[in-house]
Amino acid sequence: MATHEVTNQVPPLSGHDVADDPALLSWVDDAELHSLGKLAGSEEWQERGRLANTYPPVLRTHDRYGNRIDEVEFHPAWHDLMNVAVSHGLHAYVDGGHVERAAKFYVWSQVEAGHGCPISMTYAAVPALRVQPELAEIYEPLLTIRNYDFGLRAPLTKQGLIAGMSMTEKQGGSDVRANTTTAQPVDDGYVLTGHKWFTSAPMSDVFLTLAQAPGGLTCFLVPRVLPDGTRNRFFLQRLKDKLGNRSNASAEIEYDQAFAWRVGDEGRGVRTIIEMVNTTRLDCVLGSAAGMRAGLRQAAHHAAHRKAFGSYLIDQPAMRNVLADLAVESEAATTAAMWLAATRPRLGLAVTKYWVCKRGPAHAAEALECLGGNGYIEDSGMPRLFRESPLMSIWEGSGNVAALDVLRAMKKEPESVQEFLSVVSGVDPRIDKALNELGTALSDVDESQARRVVERMALILQAALLIKHGHPAVADAFLTSRLAGDWGHAFGTLPKSTDFASIIDRAVPKL
């Protein structure tokens, strides 16, 4: 005889369209996006995302005979995810198609975030490569074609390429000018020697990297396999054991006279590769927004199906406040991310990279807590979401780097401040009041106050964008809480005047 019945458990969240997201659909609403959204919401692809993380990549430095091969072995689910991403063009930098691509990246990364790293780097490599037109002419078609062709072979013999980025060294981190990797000219290029501390997706076909050439720090394109089919002297030392992002391989590598082509002039490496950095920062914001939406969706689904103290959680006032607050944060992040994809302003990008990515971990923790103890269990998927959440704030410049980049941009490019003001001024009296309070900080900021000022700029920008592009109830709740200060220090502290019903209805997934 059974000792108990299983009751009051929430059904799996599958069989829905991940693209059915009101904040997203105000920017893009087409058949391909919904097709991808239905794949992302299916039980089959959710399981593949889980498998890719459960069975992380394995480093194979040598073959059975003792020959160095320097390869990484992935679970088949990784390749399945990559194939869908590439076949839908998530990796492809195509002029005029950035908003549509951003929407698809946002949707598909909610299945499994780790494989978004090589997808993002491939997308971001193109604008940097264009600094060297003869290289762009050769490699851009292969970096944008919708063919996923895994394996180490001569790049020009393949049906499609994936690009990586290799800048960080152990002694410098974000201070890339401290890099010690050297580049010596040879007849048809350069040879690089040095150690790179953090190289994601080391099975990529080509890498943008920085090294000290005779004329100073310079950007280079490094192939894993040389044009004649032999392996480049690019050696994998170990894979990083990371907090999250576990499906994606990140490696320490050695260049030992590795062959490379120069991208841009000697001594202008940072200026050249900053194009790639800024483009990947867009995907950091998109990735954080996608993580927030995924957490919100799970929390709202759980609350709609779980009873406690005689009623469904979603009908209980305290939980409704939490869910609405999570939804407001999520929609503000999504709206900002899609606006960035459409307009690509440098100052706005740095501001939102700092703030939206900072909000990810707090949002993930609160969404997990909505599931109670069930959310703390791996089977729920929430721990994976939580472990992933800090990455976007670290990748491409952690908090201080992003905040200080805003200060530098305002000082070196005062026109960027005017551009920012043109977006946010005159939209709402509460925004204008916040701008006045910010005062002269936009022109003269002490570095110790960088985070404080950039946070305020981000909130002002999100508020303006929600008024222009968002739902009135969401915009009003955001301005009342985040700007006007009618808010506590934790999620779930929105004022009683909030239109909870309208906000929550937008958050509950439609099955």
Side-chain angles (χ1 to χ4, degrees):
M1 180 177 177
T3 58
H4 68 281
E5 292 183 33
V6 177
T7 60
N8 198 30
Q9 286 292 323
V10 176
L13 176 53
S14 60
H16 63 288
D17 179 0
V18 172
D20 186 15
D21 175 345
L24 176 69
L25 296 179
S26 65
W27 296 88
V28 179
D29 188 358
D30 61 34
E32 185 181 11
L33 181 64
H34 285 288
S35 174
L36 191 63
K38 290 172 183 175
L39 277 185
S42 70
E43 182 179 2
E44 174 190 356
W45 285 97
Q46 289 176 7
E47 175 64 7
R48 292 187 192 186
R50 185 192 70 83
L51 288 171
N53 277 269
T54 302
Y55 302 99
V58 177
L59 175 61
R60 307 292 187 196
T61 56
H62 295 76
D63 67 13
R64 59 182 291 194
Y65 305 107
N67 301 305
R68 282 210 74 129
I69 56 173
D70 295 282
E71 296 193 9
V72 179
E73 181 180 293
F74 293 89
H75 189 276
W78 167 271
H79 298 299
D80 294 339
L81 292 159
M82 287 289 291
N83 188 51
V84 170
V86 172
S87 66
H88 283 80
L90 277 63
H91 70 304
Y93 190 100
V94 178
D95 294 322
H98 299 298
V99 176
E100 291 77 10
R101 179 263 170 192
K104 290 184 289 185
F105 183 87
Y106 170 90
V107 165
W108 190 243
S109 63
Q110 292 181 51
V111 178
E112 192 286 309
H115 80 293
C117 178
I119 293 298
S120 178
M121 291 190 297
T122 304
Y123 171 68
V126 169
L129 265 185
R130 287 178 177 176
V131 175
Q132 201 71 33
E134 65 272 23
L135 287 177
E137 183 179 1
I138 295 170
Y139 289 99
E140 185 173 335
L142 289 167
L143 291 167
T144 55
I145 195 170
R146 294 188 177 194
N147 292 325
Y148 176 59
D149 188 0
F150 182 79
L152 297 184
R153 302 189 301 281
L156 299 187
T157 69
K158 299 187 69 175
Q159 298 301 306
L161 301 179
I162 297 295
M165 181 166 54
S166 185
M167 293 196 298
T168 305
E169 296 186 3
K170 63 173 78 74
Q171 79 288 346
S174 295
D175 183 10
V176 294
R177 294 187 187 277
N179 283 5
T180 60
T181 297
T182 61
Q184 294 298 322
V186 293
D187 289 343
D188 51 352
Y190 291 73
V191 290
L192 276 53
T193 301
H195 186 99
K196 293 295 182 179
W197 185 240
F198 223 106
T199 298
S200 279
M203 287 296 286
S204 299
D205 300 293
V206 292
F207 294 81
L208 285 171
T209 193
L210 292 174
Q212 299 286 356
L217 191 64
T218 304
C219 182
F220 296 93
L221 184 69
V222 182
R224 276 296 317 263
V225 179
L226 298 173
D228 65 4
T230 60
R231 299 286 178 91
N232 205 355
R233 295 187 64 78
F234 180 116
F235 302 121
L236 306 184
Q237 302 303 311
R238 63 170 175 166
L239 299 185
K240 300 290 193 178
D241 187 6
K242 297 173 292 184
L243 168 68
N245 202 248
R246 298 185 68 85
S247 68
N248 174 43
S250 297
E252 289 178 41
I253 67 167
E254 289 279 356
Y255 297 135
D256 183 8
Q257 298 283 293
F259 180 78
W261 296 284
R262 178 170 49 81
V263 181
D265 295 334
E266 284 193 7
R268 297 177 67 83
V270 173
R271 183 178 291 273
T272 299
I273 211 163
I274 201 68
E275 294 296 329
M276 187 176 193
V277 170
N278 282 333
T279 306
T280 48
R281 281 182 173 180
L282 167 62
D283 283 359
C284 289
V285 180
L286 284 164
S288 289
M292 289 185 201
R293 179 66 187 181
L296 169 65
R297 186 171 57 249
Q298 290 287 352
H301 175 73
H302 180 89
H305 292 86
R306 178 81 165 179
K307 283 187 175 181
F309 309 110
S311 63
Y312 286 105
L313 290 173
I314 202 167
D315 296 324
Q316 300 184 20
M319 179 59 80
R320 289 177 69 76
N321 200 318
V322 172
L323 291 174
D325 216 351
L326 290 172
V328 166
E329 193 75 33
S330 171
E331 292 207 25
T334 301
T335 301
M338 294 306 297
W339 175 78
L340 288 174
T343 59
R344 308 175 79 83
R346 184 179 183 279
L347 185 59
L349 184 57
V351 165
T352 50
K353 163 63 171 76
Y354 169 78
W355 181 242
V356 171
C357 297
K358 272 271 176 276
R359 297 298 291 157
H363 192 280
E366 194 69 60
L368 182 155
E369 191 175 326
C370 288
L371 277 66
N374 289 329
Y376 203 68
I377 304 303
E378 286 291 339
D379 288 351
S380 71
M382 299 302 281
R384 173 154 60 100
L385 187 71
F386 182 70
R387 287 193 298 270
E388 195 75 27
S389 63
L391 175 61
M392 296 298 100
S393 190
I394 296 169
W395 193 22
E396 298 308 350
S398 53
N400 284 348
V401 173
L404 292 172
D405 189 40
V406 174
L407 268 57
R408 283 190 293 270
M410 291 194 296
K411 183 174 291 187
K412 294 177 66 175
E413 304 169 19
E415 68 276 9
S416 67
V417 178
Q418 295 306 312
E419 181 185 39
F420 175 82
L421 292 173
S422 71
V423 174
V424 301
S425 298
V427 177
D428 184 277
R430 291 166 290 184
I431 294 176
D432 291 336
K433 182 175 183 292
L435 281 171
N436 289 333
E437 291 170 351
L438 202 54
T440 59
L442 290 178
S443 58
D444 184 20
V445 185
D446 183 285
E447 286 192 3
S448 70
Q449 301 301 299
R451 287 184 175 220
R452 184 183 183 94
V453 170
V454 175
E455 174 182 320
R456 199 63 177 166
M457 290 175 68
L459 293 174
I460 289 170
L461 178 60
Q462 286 183 304
L465 294 175
L466 282 173
I467 289 175
K468 292 179 178 181
H469 304 285
H471 188 278
V474 176
D476 184 69
F478 187 93
L479 268 76
T480 301
S481 58
R482 275 69 166 171
L483 277 192
D486 194 355
W487 198 33
H489 293 287
F491 285 106
T493 54
L494 293 172
K496 288 180 65 175
S497 60
T498 302
D499 184 353
F500 294 107
S502 295
I503 297 171
I504 292 172
D505 181 64
R506 293 164 62 84
V508 178
K510 309 299 188 290
L511 300 179

